[in-house]
């Protein structure tokens, strides 16, 4: 294990990858996020995933001595697992723990068209379990070897229906809040419904989703901004916004060639 007083300055992604790959139990290290996709800004952080199969201890990462905070395994839930932010030289690094055993399990269910939606902070629609497969679809492997799968054909058929069903029910609750003049709840649920619908549209396309940052843009639902900005406090205004949101979601899905239930 690297000594705790070792520093890395200037920042080098190769040094970070070598250091993490040398930790006990680590089978691979990958670059993810905007830098893996080539859409990063100069000030974007670095998303680095540690892939293990058994026997990994986050204490080994803490022992490197990089300033920051790292969770234990499972600190971010069953699927997203854990990790944290550390600083290496002058760069902010997002470290993620990824269990290859769970990846295999999720892949096995995804090829049958099955998945779960996990609650996670800052994700309005929740986190689809197949995000672990999506990451492998866009990540750049820095060290070791990792699997990479195409979007499962059966999942491409089942996932849109599930996501749209969630969107439709969320819209129903937004309608209820609109009728009672509850501005905050109505606005929040309209946005959440759009995120569910965006997942449906991108699943229909067979496009991997790794987070919600560009979700509405990619799905062609950025027009929701105009609906939200027109919101007022009057009940009639809220009801129009709910109706306009439903129309936007259905129309966008229909243009994608989707048959909503």
């Amino acid at each position: 294990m690297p000594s705790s007083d070792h520093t890395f300055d200037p920042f080098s992604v190769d040094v970070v990858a070598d250091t993490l790959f040398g930790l006990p139990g680590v089978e691979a290290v990958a670059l993810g996020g905007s830098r893996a996709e080539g859409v990063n800004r100069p000030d974007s952080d670095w998303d680095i995933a540690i892939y293990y199969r058994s026997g990994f201890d986050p204490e080994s990462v803490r022992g490197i001595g990089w300033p920051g905070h790292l969770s234990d395994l499972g600190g971010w839930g069953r699927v997203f697992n854990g990790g944290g932010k550390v600083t290496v030289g002058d760069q902010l690094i997002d470290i993620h723990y990824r269990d290859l055993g769970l990846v295999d399990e999720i892949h096995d269910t995804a090829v049958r068209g099955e998945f779960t939606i996990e609650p996670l902070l800052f994700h309005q629609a929740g986190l689809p379990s197949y995000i672990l497969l999506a990451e492998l679809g866009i990540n750049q492997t820095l060290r070791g070897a990792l699997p990479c799968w195409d979007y499962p054909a059966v999942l491409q058929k089942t996932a849109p229906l599930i996501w749209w069903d969630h969107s439709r029910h969320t819209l129903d609750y937004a309608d209820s809040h609109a009728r009672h003049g509850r501005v905050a709840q109505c606005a929040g649920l309209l946005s959440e419904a759009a995120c569910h619908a965006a997942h449906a549209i991108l699943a229909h396309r067979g496009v991997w989703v790794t987070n919600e940052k560009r979700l509405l843009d990619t799905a062609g639902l950025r027009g929701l901004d105009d609906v939200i900005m027109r919101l007022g406090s009057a009940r009639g205004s809220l009801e129009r916004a709910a109706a306009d949101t439903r129309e936007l979601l259905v129309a966008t899905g229909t243009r994608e060639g989707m048959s909503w239930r």
Side-chain angles (χ1 to χ4, degrees):
M1 182 187 304
S3 62
S4 61
D5 61 351
H6 192 64
T7 58
F8 303 98
D9 193 13
F11 167 79
S12 167
V13 69
D14 286 322
V15 171
V16 171
D18 285 338
T19 302
L20 296 175
F21 190 52
L23 298 179
V26 176
E27 293 197 5
V29 177
L31 174 68
S34 61
R35 291 189 180 273
E37 296 181 87
V39 296
N40 58 288
R41 303 185 308 272
D43 62 344
S44 295
D45 57 13
W46 293 76
D47 292 287
I48 305 290
I50 298 171
Y51 285 87
Y52 67 94
R53 193 167 294 277
S54 61
F56 175 69
D57 184 356
E59 196 59 39
S60 64
V61 187
R62 298 186 185 107
I64 297 170
W66 293 329
H69 175 76
L70 295 163
S71 77
D72 292 328
L73 294 182
W76 296 349
R78 183 185 76 94
V79 170
F80 215 54
N81 199 338
K85 292 183 183 293
V86 299
T87 302
V88 182
D90 60 352
Q91 292 290 334
L92 190 63
I93 310 292
D94 252 344
I95 293 179
H96 297 168
Y97 314 142
R98 295 293 181 261
D99 183 345
L100 284 168
L102 181 60
V103 169
D104 290 341
E105 176 186 324
I106 286 173
H107 177 255
D108 290 344
T109 59
V111 296
R112 299 195 301 267
E114 302 169 6
F115 67 101
T116 60
I117 301 175
E118 312 280 333
L120 184 69
L121 289 175
F122 322 124
H123 288 68
Q124 287 182 289
L127 190 79
S129 55
Y130 55 76
I131 188 176
L132 299 188
L133 311 184
E135 289 177 339
L136 289 170
I138 69 163
N139 282 3
Q140 297 178 18
T141 303
L142 302 176
R143 300 294 183 272
L146 289 169
C148 181
W149 297 286
D150 292 332
Y151 204 103
V154 178
L155 185 68
Q156 198 171 345
K157 295 181 181 298
T158 60
L161 297 177
I162 292 170
W163 284 114
W164 173 246
D165 199 44
H166 286 207
S167 179
R168 182 170 56 82
H169 287 302
T170 303
L171 284 171
D172 289 344
Y173 272 88
D175 288 338
S176 175
H177 286 303
R179 289 194 297 272
H180 289 85
R182 303 179 190 125
V183 180
Q185 290 100 319
C186 180
L189 289 181
L190 294 181
S191 178
E192 182 182 328
C195 289
H196 286 295
H199 274 290
I201 290 167
L202 296 181
H204 176 73
R205 293 181 193 168
V207 173
W208 290 125
V209 174
T210 57
N211 59 56
E212 291 186 348
K213 293 177 182 177
R214 295 184 297 275
L215 183 63
L216 297 185
D217 302 82
T218 308
L221 293 175
R222 196 76 263 171
L224 181 69
D225 290 344
D226 295 330
V227 176
I228 297 299
M229 286 190 290
R230 292 197 300 267
L231 271 178
S233 58
R235 193 180 80 173
S237 173
L238 295 176
E239 290 176 333
R240 282 193 299 275
D244 288 346
T245 300
R246 190 183 301 270
E247 181 179 347
L248 171 67
L249 303 188
V250 172
T252 304
T254 300
R255 284 196 299 271
E256 294 281 334
M258 303 174 68
S259 297
W260 300 118
R261 285 191 302 183

